[in-house]
Amino acid sequence: MQKTEGEESKAENEEVKQVTLMTSDGVKMKVEISIVYEMEIVRSFIEVNDADHSVPFPLPNVSSHTLDLIIELVKNEYDDEFMKTFSHDELKEVLVAANYLNMKTLLDFIATAIANLLEKKSVEFIRNFFNIVNDFTPEEEAEIRKTNEWVFQDLDED
Amino acid sequence: MDALPDAILQCIMSRITNARDLSSCNCVSKRWKDSTPYVRTLYFPRSSFDSPSSSGGADNIIKRMVSRVVKLEELIVYCPFSPDGLGSWLALVGHSLLQLELRMDNLNDNQGFHESPSKLDYVGSAKNLESLKLWGVLMVRAPKWDVFPNLRNLEIIGVRSLTIELPCLELCKLDFYGMGNCSLTLTSPKIESLEVQGCSWIRVPKTKHLRKLSISNTAGRVYMVDFGNLSALEFLCMRGIQWCWDAICKMLKMASEVKHLYMKVEFTGDYDALQPFPEIDFVDFFNSHQKLQKFDIHGAMFAALCQKNSLKHVDSGFVIPFLEEVVITVRSPLNAEQKMSTLESLVKYGKSLRSMVIKILEMKSCHTSADDFFDEICRFRYINHNIVRIE
């Protein structure tokens, strides 16, 4: 019985309920609980500790700009057109944040978008995109490029 | 940004399916190279190996890539390959594969006609497949199909007469090649959706779960249809140049529960001569298909539905209870009066009718009668403008 009552009151409050999140650059942002619930890392904390939502929940790995983008993406129901306005850096920040916040739908959406972006791109483009240092020795690199030589034609211009 | 966490790298990698892009990823760094074995899908597009410098040949490159994957679940190959190549890949990953899609291009493999095994024989070694799609098969002899106990989805373009017994099959799409005179026997008790094109004799005894059925034959005649219980059937599509009248009647009688019926058959007749349709009783037809919600009927069949004078003495209780959408294609102004009366009856008795689309195709047999008929239809549309649309 007690549990049912608890759930009811929770459902009533959900429409107006907001959770305050504190981003890495110290900005406090009030976010609708429906969006916060997509963030497993925050959700699990809220659910375990029926916490006072006015105390900001710290997100030391997410900037306010990235959180803004994420909120807009969720509000727009993951609109491709909106995401196309993102810079490469923004895409990567959202990707890393989605993984950190454990937002499954967003992670799936953004990972698919980045995978599509890498289509027909050169090895150098991928390295630049993710700031990856080439750790092959020249011999190893020559070897692996020879093994995969069928790929190195008709690439898109970076 | 610091190094990508492993989880994210895997996440992106698993969404890169084109083999060419995966090969590029291989060359990025040691860590990226070590991640490629964990992909689940490999896709080789049509033009993968078109460049002249693609030494090693498609067979070997595909084999090398397939061999690096720990647990390949889906393999899609649209580029040309040889039977032995396919055999060597499936020897490596046949057991983990759940989905296989191949463009067979057997037409170019005439030299392999007497050699064995064929590509089809090799496909049989992927025993755990749940989905198999084959394009351009041009099958010369029927392979053994009972080797896939888990197969749920089968699509083949280019089959010949065929007997299928697959216990788990749910979706099946078969496109026969040749003169449209092939036969099919399908024994799959879980079948839910069946699409057959170019087949003359169709026998499917276990149809308790069949919800969607589409039979079409643009090359030959649909001669015989034999189905089990079709009480679950919701969608039926009958298409083709010529169906035997018995086959049409039997099909319509068995499909008494359909909600969506699509009929576009041009002629009937049991022999090569193309015969016009006998008359169909409008009232009987709708009384025996009470659940119909959506109805598409074309040219000759619509004309047949108009000819019987059953509309003159309609029982006062007659209604078409659930019909919501009708699409009618009219091709000739013959019997214009009866056609108009049929259109009016559909509106009159179709208590739930929301939309009627009348498509008028090149009517040119006789100018004045066609014009008169068209004027009649326009007038009909004007009176029922909230329902009727002309295209």
Side-chain angles (χ1 to χ4, degrees):
Chain A
M1 277 300 269
Q2 235 178 342
K3 198 180 170 192
T4 321
E5 272 171 26
E7 275 173 6
E8 267 172 17
S9 64
K10 204 165 156 189
E12 271 169 28
N13 287 339
E14 253 174 38
E15 279 182 59
V16 283
K17 236 190 206 175
Q18 290 184 325
V19 176
T20 309
L21 304 176
M22 169 92 91
T23 58
S24 58
D25 45 345
V27 179
K28 289 179 195 166
M29 295 173 71
K30 284 190 171 177
V31 184
E32 279 175 38
I33 200 147
S34 62
I35 296 175
V36 172
Y37 270 176
E38 289 201 30
M39 307 170 179
E40 278 298 324
I41 189 175
V42 189
R43 181 186 184 134
S44 56
F45 180 81
I46 294 174
E47 281 180 348
V48 172
N49 316 289
D50 199 12
D52 177 3
H53 298 313
S54 57
V55 177
F57 184 92
L59 297 175
N61 293 334
V62 184
S63 73
S64 54
H65 179 63
T66 307
L67 189 59
D68 271 334
L69 294 177
I70 290 176
I71 291 166
E72 282 307 305
L73 269 176
V74 177
K75 276 189 183 163
N76 286 305
E77 295 172 340
Y78 303 105
D79 179 22
D80 267 323
E81 292 304 313
F82 173 57
M83 196 205 49
K84 279 178 190 158
T85 63
F86 290 17
S87 70
H88 287 175
D89 280 337
E90 286 171 334
L91 278 177
K92 283 183 290 183
E93 283 157 13
V94 172
L95 174 76
V96 173
N99 182 59
Y100 166 72
L101 296 167
N102 199 358
M103 299 178 74
K104 291 199 172 57
T105 314
L106 178 63
L107 186 60
D108 180 67
F109 177 74
I110 205 88
T112 304
I114 291 176
N116 291 340
L117 188 83
L118 300 183
E119 251 174 51
K120 288 191 113 181
K121 293 296 192 294
S122 69
V123 176
E124 288 72 22
F125 179 93
I126 302 174
R127 282 179 188 152
N128 284 336
F129 187 89
F130 290 107
N131 295 333
I132 295 165
V133 179
N134 174 16
D135 56 358
F136 290 118
T137 64
E139 293 77 23
E140 283 170 336
E141 172 133 24
E143 171 69 28
I144 193 155
R145 284 202 179 240
K146 192 164 183 301
T147 319
N148 294 288
E149 69 170 336
W150 67 281
V151 175
F152 301 109
Q153 288 104 24
D154 321 315
L155 288 170
D156 277 4
E157 299 227 350
D158 300 341
Chain B
M1 190 174 68
D2 295 334
L4 225 47
D6 277 334
I8 301 185
L9 181 53
Q10 297 286 344
C11 194
I12 292 172
M13 203 70 102
S14 67
R15 282 165 179 79
I16 297 173
T17 55
N18 190 323
R20 176 182 287 271
D21 297 327
L22 269 173
S23 286
S24 294
C25 292
N26 243 336
C27 305
V28 167
S29 72
K30 287 180 177 167
R31 191 155 152 263
W32 278 58
K33 180 166 172 270
D34 293 341
S35 288
T36 47
Y38 301 103
V39 299
R40 297 287 163 91
T41 299
L42 274 181
Y43 164 50
F44 295 86
R46 182 85 181 130
S47 57
S48 292
F49 306 103
D50 280 358
S51 309
S53 60
S54 294
S55 60
D59 287 348
N60 286 331
I61 295 173
I62 296 176
K63 185 180 175 186
R64 193 170 59 231
M65 290 199 70
V66 159
S67 71
R68 291 202 63 223
V69 179
V70 176
K71 188 170 179 288
L72 194 66
E73 290 179 359
E74 185 177 13
L75 178 63
I76 304 165
V77 183
Y78 285 172
C79 62
F81 60 91
S82 77
D84 289 342
L86 176 64
S88 68
W89 323 327
L90 293 185
L92 291 163
V93 294
H95 279 280
S96 64
L97 269 192
L98 301 179
Q99 297 174 48
L100 179 61
E101 184 169 343
L102 301 171
R103 187 184 161 114
M104 304 285 267
D105 277 340
N106 284 0
L107 193 59
N108 303 327
D109 284 352
N110 284 339
Q111 72 278 14
F113 192 85
H114 297 291
E115 286 170 21
S116 63
S118 69
K119 287 179 183 174
L120 276 172
D121 294 324
Y122 280 125
V123 167
S125 65
K127 291 193 192 313
N128 298 318
L129 283 185
E130 291 177 1
S131 170
L132 174 61
K133 298 182 185 179
L134 305 173
W135 315 106
V137 175
L138 299 182
M139 194 182 283
V140 250
R141 59 191 157 83
K144 280 168 69 76
W145 292 104
D146 54 359
V147 294
F148 306 110
N150 305 324
L151 200 69
R152 291 188 303 177
N153 183 10
L154 177 65
E155 281 184 35
I156 314 178
I157 292 187
V159 280
R160 298 303 295 270
S161 290
L162 193 60
T163 297
I164 297 175
E165 283 183 36
L166 290 165
C168 292
L169 197 65
E170 291 168 6
L171 310 173
C172 183
K173 205 169 169 180
L174 301 170
D175 194 328
F176 290 75
Y177 87 96
M179 304 299 291
N181 54 358
C182 293
S183 69
L184 166 71
T185 303
L186 176 78
T187 313
S188 297
K190 293 184 177 171
I191 191 82
E192 286 178 16
S193 170
L194 176 63
E195 275 182 57
V196 181
Q197 145 60 27
C199 188
S200 184
W201 297 68
I202 303 166
R203 203 177 152 264
V204 187
K206 297 185 176 176
T207 49
K208 205 171 73 180
H209 300 289
L210 193 62
R211 289 191 287 111
K212 195 166 172 254
L213 175 63
S214 174
I215 300 172
S216 130
N217 194 341
T218 49
R221 175 171 62 236
V222 176
Y223 199 84
M224 201 272 304
V225 287
D226 185 7
F227 290 92
N229 177 355
L230 289 181
S231 58
L233 196 68
E234 293 178 1
F235 172 79
L236 173 65
C237 169
M238 305 159 73
R239 299 182 68 141
I241 306 293
Q242 187 186 22
W243 281 52
C244 291
W245 184 240
D246 280 352
I248 292 181
C249 291
K250 195 172 174 187
M251 200 67 250
L252 287 176
K253 192 172 173 216
M254 286 188 293
S256 57
E257 309 294 301
V258 287
K259 293 178 180 163
H260 182 182
L261 180 59
Y262 183 102
M263 299 203 289
K264 188 182 183 182
V265 180
E266 310 295 338
F267 297 99
T268 177
D270 292 349
Y271 304 101
D272 286 347
L274 301 172
Q275 306 277 340
F277 289 97
E279 295 164 0
I280 301 171
D281 189 302
F282 182 91
V283 176
D284 278 358
F285 176 82
F286 285 103
N287 273 340
S288 50
H289 297 93
Q290 293 268 345
K291 295 190 178 163
L292 214 52
Q293 293 174 2
K294 196 165 178 225
F295 185 40
D296 294 60
I297 186 163
H298 289 248
M301 292 188 111
F302 174 66
L305 191 66
C306 299
Q307 277 166 18
K308 205 151 182 175
N309 275 334
S310 60
L311 289 170
K312 295 222 165 121
H313 312 283
V314 178
D315 183 84
S316 60
F318 174 66
V319 281
I320 308 170
F322 302 114
L323 192 64
E324 293 177 2
E325 290 177 67
V326 179
V327 180
I328 295 169
T329 310
V330 187
R331 268 208 317 228
S332 123
L334 286 175
N335 302 316
E337 200 182 322
Q338 287 167 326
K339 282 178 183 165
M340 287 315 301
S341 147
T342 305
L343 293 176
E344 281 159 11
S345 300
L346 280 167
V347 173
K348 182 174 171 192
Y349 299 111
K351 295 298 173 204
S352 312
L353 196 66
R354 285 188 289 111
S355 123
M356 175 188 282
V357 177
I358 303 172
K359 295 182 177 174
I360 301 172
L361 291 182
E362 31 172 339
M363 288 197 289
K364 53 189 168 189
S365 53
C366 162
H367 285 299
T368 52
S369 69
D371 288 347
D372 289 349
F373 185 39
F374 186 72
D375 289 346
E376 281 287 298
I377 291 180
C378 289
R379 189 184 57 83
F380 173 69
R381 191 201 73 91
Y382 182 73
I383 296 170
N384 302 290
H385 59 90
N386 51 340
I387 296 179
V388 180
R389 204 169 78 233
I390 298 176
E391 285 180 1

